[in-house]
Amino acid sequence: MSVAVSCLCLSVAWAQESPLGEAIEDFEYWQDLCQLHISAAEDKAAEEEEKEEYAKALMACEQAIALEPEDANIWVLHSSILLNTQKYPESISSANRALLFDPEHSLAITYQCVAYSALKQTETALDHCNQALRINGNWGNENPALAWLYRGVILAQEEEYGRALVAYERTLLLEPEYSFALARKCDAHFALQQASLALESCNAALGVNQDWGEASPAMVWTTIGKTHTQLELYNEAIAAYDQALNLDPMSAITWVAQGQVLAQIEQTEESLVSFVQAVGIKADFADALLGQCMALNRLAIDAEVKDQGKLYEQSLAACEAALAGDSDWGENSPANAWHERSIALTGTGKYDEALASINRAVGLEPRYAEAYNQRSIVYWYLKDYGWALEANQQALAIDATYDHGWFTRGLIFRAQEQYLQALEAYNRGLGLNPWNDWAWTNRSLVLWELGDYEEAIVSAEEALNLNDDSVQAWYNRGAAQSALKDYRGAIESYDEVLDRDEKYAGALTGRGVARFHLGEHEDAMMDLQMALALNPEDELAKETLEALSLEGQGEGDK
């Protein structure tokens, strides 16, 4: 049932005339005409046509009221029109008129329940639905199903999903093919994390396809998508959201839900498209703007250095728009936006502002492990390692299974040259999440510092198995191979680096050193000179060039 608001103006009631020009004063005629227009409105797909039919129904109903103002049923019919046109206070008033003449008119009381529910007067609404069911009096052409249904809707609004399910079951005993009731039952099972039962109810709602009321097939497909997400069936979830968006492409909520799944499976660019679509429909939608901010941050982290600044600036703008938005955060909160804002500010080098932003996040959600970890990262950038370690310890105290917390701990210890502690931290984190190529890469650096070059190669290769384009992992592999005097292998690794980044000075130096040790002096000199052109402060390149020069002089003396 859809719901809404109009004014009762009997003094200007529309007058239908007979062919002879005489006003028709037949109560049943007007009552039947009213009902006819209501039925026509329910069959109209176009919103304007539906409004037109309800307007005609209202005028016919008021003609009937003018003829028999003490007929309770006509007042109930009048109340239903006002309810369906979202004129809730007027609907309640009309139902009250009906109850003056029939105090046990349960349908009138039920319409009041529905109207109070739409007005967010939950307690009053529930009282009226309970009263209608307790009296169980005059239901007109309806039955108690509507009261049971809205009793469930109200209980679900109060997050009493178990009790709501009981109400929906009572509804379906009376109306087994009531799609709206099945859809709400699906929602309740989803809220209770009863995924298989949710899917069963949603599929039943789609199968019977009868009266959708305030629901629609698109909304049901959205719930199916959320349920598949709950089951970690992400491809099925995306397919369900596609079905929903085919039916209702203007649903910002569905675009956001799809974007969140795409972000979860690291299809970041695709997730950004979904969030942008949602913002295009609803410009101040906080949850959609937050999703956009998060996606831009992830893209910036993975982007080339030259593109990072622009992406972080866009992310910052999206997060600030979210914080100024409509406060509809879905399952997120403002703390998430302050957190992502801090990441964007960190990316643009505004560390003091980033610290202030993450402090807001922690202030809003003191048990937010990711926020404490971000605070730790900001302190790491500020080279304040004591505070960084304290924030990291707070993150891990909240959630010891938070893998990124352990990876950040490894960064802090490595920056302090406490390599054994850093290695332990990376090992703990990788035990929780062995699919993080960045952590394997950093672990290989720590192992190189500890002189365990063979294990450093293993760690770098683990990173490359996950991300073959990791320039740093290829570089680490080359450095460890060179330390083990596998100069030919080192050259191959440095070649991989330079194929991906031809201006990587460290790789040119590393390859030049390896070629020097292999006696390939001309190629070595070329690499080292190119490295110094990019980084004139490269001491290893200078030293190796000097050694090349001395060897050249020695050969000349001979």
Side-chain angles (χ1 to χ4, degrees), residues 306-349:
K306 64 183 176 66
D307 297 325
Q308 285 183 327
K310 182 179 178 181
L311 287 167
Y312 279 126
E313 289 292 347
Q314 291 173 348
S315 172
L316 182 60
C319 263
E320 290 181 346
L323 289 163
D326 64 358
S327 299
D328 184 354
W329 296 101
E331 295 180 6
N332 290 302
S333 75
N336 300 118
W338 287 109
H339 175 216
E340 293 295 328
R341 181 177 182 270
S342 177
I343 293 172
L345 287 163
T346 303
T348 56

Short mmCIF file of all heavy atoms in Angstrom, two decimals, residues 306-349:
data_model
loop_
_atom_site.label_atom_id
_atom_site.label_comp_id
_atom_site.label_asym_id
_atom_site.label_seq_id
_atom_site.Cartn_x
_atom_site.Cartn_y
_atom_site.Cartn_z
N LYS A 306 52.42 10.42 -10.03
CA LYS A 306 51.95 11.66 -10.67
C LYS A 306 50.44 11.82 -10.60
O LYS A 306 49.92 12.94 -10.69
CB LYS A 306 52.42 11.72 -12.13
CG LYS A 306 51.85 10.62 -13.03
CD LYS A 306 52.44 10.72 -14.43
CE LYS A 306 51.96 9.59 -15.33
NZ LYS A 306 50.53 9.67 -15.60
N ASP A 307 49.71 10.72 -10.44
CA ASP A 307 48.25 10.77 -10.40
C ASP A 307 47.70 10.80 -8.97
O ASP A 307 46.51 11.08 -8.77
CB ASP A 307 47.65 9.57 -11.13
CG ASP A 307 48.01 9.56 -12.60
OD1 ASP A 307 48.10 10.65 -13.19
OD2 ASP A 307 48.22 8.46 -13.14
N GLN A 308 48.56 10.51 -8.00
CA GLN A 308 48.05 10.33 -6.64
C GLN A 308 47.47 11.61 -6.05
O GLN A 308 46.40 11.60 -5.45
CB GLN A 308 49.17 9.81 -5.73
CG GLN A 308 49.48 8.35 -5.94
CD GLN A 308 50.54 7.84 -4.99
OE1 GLN A 308 51.45 8.57 -4.61
NE2 GLN A 308 50.42 6.58 -4.61
N GLY A 309 48.15 12.73 -6.24
CA GLY A 309 47.71 13.98 -5.64
C GLY A 309 46.31 14.36 -6.06
O GLY A 309 45.46 14.72 -5.22
N LYS A 310 46.02 14.25 -7.36
CA LYS A 310 44.70 14.60 -7.88
C LYS A 310 43.62 13.68 -7.30
O LYS A 310 42.53 14.13 -6.90
CB LYS A 310 44.70 14.51 -9.40
CG LYS A 310 43.39 14.91 -10.05
CD LYS A 310 43.47 14.82 -11.57
CE LYS A 310 42.14 15.18 -12.21
NZ LYS A 310 42.20 15.07 -13.70
N LEU A 311 43.92 12.38 -7.22
CA LEU A 311 42.94 11.43 -6.68
C LEU A 311 42.67 11.70 -5.21
O LEU A 311 41.52 11.64 -4.75
CB LEU A 311 43.44 10.00 -6.89
CG LEU A 311 43.39 9.49 -8.33
CD1 LEU A 311 44.20 8.21 -8.47
CD2 LEU A 311 41.94 9.25 -8.78
N TYR A 312 43.74 12.00 -4.44
CA TYR A 312 43.53 12.29 -3.02
C TYR A 312 42.73 13.57 -2.84
O TYR A 312 41.89 13.66 -1.92
CB TYR A 312 44.87 12.40 -2.30
CG TYR A 312 45.47 11.06 -1.92
CD1 TYR A 312 46.77 10.70 -2.30
CD2 TYR A 312 44.75 10.13 -1.16
CE1 TYR A 312 47.32 9.48 -1.96
CE2 TYR A 312 45.29 8.90 -0.81
CZ TYR A 312 46.57 8.59 -1.21
OH TYR A 312 47.11 7.37 -0.86
N GLU A 313 42.93 14.56 -3.68
CA GLU A 313 42.15 15.80 -3.58
C GLU A 313 40.68 15.53 -3.88
O GLU A 313 39.79 16.05 -3.21
CB GLU A 313 42.69 16.85 -4.57
CG GLU A 313 44.05 17.43 -4.19
CD GLU A 313 44.01 18.29 -2.93
OE1 GLU A 313 42.90 18.65 -2.48
OE2 GLU A 313 45.08 18.60 -2.39
N GLN A 314 40.40 14.68 -4.87
CA GLN A 314 39.02 14.32 -5.19
C GLN A 314 38.39 13.55 -4.03
O GLN A 314 37.22 13.74 -3.69
CB GLN A 314 38.97 13.49 -6.47
CG GLN A 314 39.32 14.27 -7.73
CD GLN A 314 39.44 13.37 -8.95
OE1 GLN A 314 39.48 12.15 -8.85
NE2 GLN A 314 39.49 13.98 -10.13
N SER A 315 39.18 12.66 -3.43
CA SER A 315 38.70 11.88 -2.29
C SER A 315 38.36 12.80 -1.13
O SER A 315 37.31 12.65 -0.48
CB SER A 315 39.77 10.87 -1.87
OG SER A 315 39.40 10.24 -0.67
N LEU A 316 39.24 13.76 -0.87
CA LEU A 316 39.01 14.71 0.23
C LEU A 316 37.71 15.47 0.02
O LEU A 316 36.90 15.64 0.95
CB LEU A 316 40.20 15.67 0.31
CG LEU A 316 40.17 16.71 1.43
CD1 LEU A 316 40.12 16.03 2.79
CD2 LEU A 316 41.39 17.63 1.34
N ALA A 317 37.47 15.93 -1.22
CA ALA A 317 36.25 16.67 -1.53
C ALA A 317 35.01 15.79 -1.29
O ALA A 317 33.99 16.25 -0.76
CB ALA A 317 36.28 17.16 -2.97
N ALA A 318 35.09 14.51 -1.69
CA ALA A 318 33.96 13.59 -1.51
C ALA A 318 33.67 13.35 -0.03
O ALA A 318 32.51 13.33 0.40
CB ALA A 318 34.22 12.28 -2.23
N CYS A 319 34.72 13.16 0.77
CA CYS A 319 34.53 12.93 2.20
C CYS A 319 33.93 14.16 2.88
O CYS A 319 33.05 14.04 3.74
CB CYS A 319 35.85 12.56 2.86
SG CYS A 319 36.07 10.78 3.06
N GLU A 320 34.40 15.33 2.50
CA GLU A 320 33.85 16.55 3.11
C GLU A 320 32.40 16.76 2.70
O GLU A 320 31.57 17.21 3.50
CB GLU A 320 34.74 17.74 2.76
CG GLU A 320 36.09 17.63 3.48
CD GLU A 320 37.03 18.79 3.21
OE1 GLU A 320 36.78 19.57 2.27
OE2 GLU A 320 38.03 18.90 3.96
N ALA A 321 32.06 16.39 1.46
CA ALA A 321 30.66 16.46 1.03
C ALA A 321 29.81 15.46 1.82
O ALA A 321 28.65 15.74 2.17
CB ALA A 321 30.55 16.18 -0.47
N ALA A 322 30.36 14.29 2.10
CA ALA A 322 29.64 13.28 2.89
C ALA A 322 29.33 13.81 4.28
O ALA A 322 28.22 13.66 4.79
CB ALA A 322 30.45 11.99 2.97
N LEU A 323 30.32 14.44 4.90
CA LEU A 323 30.14 14.97 6.26
C LEU A 323 29.12 16.12 6.29
O LEU A 323 28.49 16.36 7.32
CB LEU A 323 31.48 15.42 6.83
CG LEU A 323 32.44 14.27 7.18
CD1 LEU A 323 33.86 14.77 7.35
CD2 LEU A 323 31.96 13.56 8.44
N ALA A 324 28.97 16.81 5.17
CA ALA A 324 27.98 17.90 5.07
C ALA A 324 26.67 17.41 4.47
O ALA A 324 25.76 18.21 4.24
CB ALA A 324 28.56 19.03 4.22
N GLY A 325 26.55 16.09 4.22
CA GLY A 325 25.41 15.54 3.50
C GLY A 325 24.19 15.30 4.35
O GLY A 325 23.98 15.94 5.39
N ASP A 326 23.37 14.32 3.93
CA ASP A 326 22.04 14.13 4.51
C ASP A 326 22.01 13.26 5.76
O ASP A 326 20.95 12.94 6.29
CB ASP A 326 21.10 13.53 3.46
CG ASP A 326 21.53 12.12 3.02
OD1 ASP A 326 22.58 11.63 3.50
OD2 ASP A 326 20.83 11.52 2.18
N SER A 327 23.19 12.85 6.24
CA SER A 327 23.32 12.02 7.46
C SER A 327 22.76 10.61 7.29
O SER A 327 22.58 9.89 8.27
CB SER A 327 22.65 12.68 8.67
OG SER A 327 23.26 13.92 8.95
N ASP A 328 22.48 10.21 6.05
CA ASP A 328 22.05 8.83 5.79
C ASP A 328 23.31 8.02 5.51
O ASP A 328 23.83 8.00 4.40
CB ASP A 328 21.10 8.81 4.59
CG ASP A 328 20.55 7.40 4.32
OD1 ASP A 328 21.00 6.44 4.99
OD2 ASP A 328 19.69 7.26 3.44
N TRP A 329 23.79 7.33 6.54
CA TRP A 329 25.07 6.61 6.46
C TRP A 329 24.91 5.12 6.22
O TRP A 329 25.91 4.40 6.13
CB TRP A 329 25.87 6.82 7.75
CG TRP A 329 26.27 8.24 7.98
CD1 TRP A 329 25.67 9.14 8.82
CD2 TRP A 329 27.33 8.95 7.35
NE1 TRP A 329 26.30 10.35 8.75
CE2 TRP A 329 27.32 10.27 7.86
CE3 TRP A 329 28.29 8.61 6.39
CZ2 TRP A 329 28.25 11.23 7.45
CZ3 TRP A 329 29.21 9.56 5.99
CH2 TRP A 329 29.19 10.86 6.52
N GLY A 330 23.67 4.61 6.14
CA GLY A 330 23.50 3.17 5.98
C GLY A 330 24.12 2.45 7.17
O GLY A 330 23.84 2.79 8.33
N GLU A 331 24.97 1.48 6.90
CA GLU A 331 25.64 0.74 7.96
C GLU A 331 26.96 1.41 8.36
O GLU A 331 27.68 0.90 9.22
CB GLU A 331 25.89 -0.70 7.51
CG GLU A 331 24.60 -1.49 7.29
CD GLU A 331 24.85 -2.91 6.83
OE1 GLU A 331 26.02 -3.32 6.79
OE2 GLU A 331 23.88 -3.62 6.51
N ASN A 332 27.29 2.54 7.74
CA ASN A 332 28.49 3.29 8.09
C ASN A 332 28.16 4.36 9.11
O ASN A 332 27.07 4.38 9.68
CB ASN A 332 29.12 3.88 6.83
CG ASN A 332 29.72 2.81 5.93
OD1 ASN A 332 30.58 2.05 6.34
ND2 ASN A 332 29.25 2.73 4.69
N SER A 333 29.09 5.29 9.34
CA SER A 333 28.87 6.36 10.30
C SER A 333 29.80 7.52 9.96
O SER A 333 30.73 7.37 9.15
CB SER A 333 29.19 5.86 11.72
OG SER A 333 30.60 5.78 11.90
N PRO A 334 29.58 8.70 10.56
CA PRO A 334 30.50 9.82 10.32
C PRO A 334 31.96 9.48 10.65
O PRO A 334 32.87 10.02 10.03
CB PRO A 334 29.96 10.92 11.23
CG PRO A 334 28.53 10.60 11.42
CD PRO A 334 28.45 9.10 11.41
N ALA A 335 32.15 8.57 11.61
CA ALA A 335 33.53 8.19 11.96
C ALA A 335 34.28 7.62 10.76
O ALA A 335 35.48 7.87 10.57
CB ALA A 335 33.52 7.18 13.11
N ASN A 336 33.56 6.85 9.92
CA ASN A 336 34.19 6.30 8.71
C ASN A 336 34.63 7.42 7.77
O ASN A 336 35.69 7.33 7.14
CB ASN A 336 33.22 5.37 7.98
CG ASN A 336 32.78 4.21 8.84
OD1 ASN A 336 31.61 4.06 9.14
ND2 ASN A 336 33.70 3.37 9.27
N ALA A 337 33.81 8.47 7.68
CA ALA A 337 34.16 9.58 6.79
C ALA A 337 35.37 10.35 7.32
O ALA A 337 36.26 10.74 6.56
CB ALA A 337 32.96 10.51 6.63
N TRP A 338 35.42 10.58 8.64
CA TRP A 338 36.60 11.26 9.22
C TRP A 338 37.86 10.41 9.01
O TRP A 338 38.95 10.94 8.77
CB TRP A 338 36.38 11.52 10.71
CG TRP A 338 35.41 12.62 10.99
CD1 TRP A 338 34.15 12.51 11.51
CD2 TRP A 338 35.61 14.03 10.76
NE1 TRP A 338 33.55 13.74 11.61
CE2 TRP A 338 34.42 14.69 11.17
CE3 TRP A 338 36.67 14.78 10.25
CZ2 TRP A 338 34.27 16.08 11.08
CZ3 TRP A 338 36.52 16.16 10.18
CH2 TRP A 338 35.34 16.80 10.57
N HIS A 339 37.71 9.09 9.10
CA HIS A 339 38.83 8.17 8.87
C HIS A 339 39.35 8.29 7.44
O HIS A 339 40.55 8.48 7.20
CB HIS A 339 38.35 6.74 9.16
CG HIS A 339 39.37 5.68 8.86
ND1 HIS A 339 39.01 4.45 8.36
CD2 HIS A 339 40.72 5.66 8.95
CE1 HIS A 339 40.09 3.72 8.18
NE2 HIS A 339 41.14 4.43 8.52
N GLU A 340 38.43 8.18 6.47
CA GLU A 340 38.84 8.27 5.06
C GLU A 340 39.37 9.66 4.73
O GLU A 340 40.30 9.79 3.93
CB GLU A 340 37.66 7.92 4.15
CG GLU A 340 37.20 6.48 4.23
CD GLU A 340 38.25 5.48 3.74
OE1 GLU A 340 39.03 5.84 2.82
OE2 GLU A 340 38.28 4.35 4.25
N ARG A 341 38.80 10.68 5.34
CA ARG A 341 39.32 12.05 5.15
C ARG A 341 40.77 12.13 5.61
O ARG A 341 41.61 12.77 4.97
CB ARG A 341 38.44 13.04 5.93
CG ARG A 341 38.86 14.50 5.77
CD ARG A 341 37.88 15.40 6.52
NE ARG A 341 38.22 16.81 6.36
CZ ARG A 341 39.02 17.49 7.17
NH1 ARG A 341 39.58 16.86 8.21
NH2 ARG A 341 39.28 18.77 6.96
N SER A 342 41.09 11.48 6.72
CA SER A 342 42.46 11.47 7.23
C SER A 342 43.40 10.79 6.24
O SER A 342 44.53 11.25 6.02
CB SER A 342 42.52 10.74 8.58
OG SER A 342 43.85 10.65 9.05
N ILE A 343 42.94 9.69 5.61
CA ILE A 343 43.77 9.01 4.61
C ILE A 343 44.06 9.94 3.44
O ILE A 343 45.20 10.02 2.96
CB ILE A 343 43.05 7.72 4.13
CG1 ILE A 343 42.97 6.70 5.27
CG2 ILE A 343 43.78 7.12 2.93
CD1 ILE A 343 42.11 5.49 4.96
N ALA A 344 43.02 10.66 2.98
CA ALA A 344 43.21 11.58 1.86
C ALA A 344 44.18 12.71 2.23
O ALA A 344 45.05 13.08 1.44
CB ALA A 344 41.87 12.16 1.43
N LEU A 345 44.04 13.25 3.43
CA LEU A 345 44.94 14.32 3.88
C LEU A 345 46.37 13.81 4.03
O LEU A 345 47.33 14.51 3.69
CB LEU A 345 44.44 14.89 5.21
CG LEU A 345 43.18 15.77 5.12
CD1 LEU A 345 42.53 15.93 6.48
CD2 LEU A 345 43.53 17.12 4.51
N THR A 346 46.52 12.57 4.51
CA THR A 346 47.86 11.97 4.60
C THR A 346 48.46 11.85 3.21
O THR A 346 49.65 12.14 3.01
CB THR A 346 47.78 10.58 5.27
OG1 THR A 346 47.17 10.71 6.55
CG2 THR A 346 49.16 9.97 5.43
N GLY A 347 47.66 11.45 2.25
CA GLY A 347 48.14 11.31 0.87
C GLY A 347 48.59 12.61 0.25
O GLY A 347 49.44 12.61 -0.64
N THR A 348 48.03 13.72 0.73
CA THR A 348 48.45 15.02 0.20
C THR A 348 49.51 15.68 1.08
O THR A 348 49.86 16.84 0.86
CB THR A 348 47.23 15.97 0.07
OG1 THR A 348 46.57 16.07 1.34
CG2 THR A 348 46.24 15.45 -0.96
N GLY A 349 50.01 14.94 2.07
CA GLY A 349 51.10 15.45 2.90
C GLY A 349 50.65 16.41 3.99
O GLY A 349 51.49 17.05 4.63
#
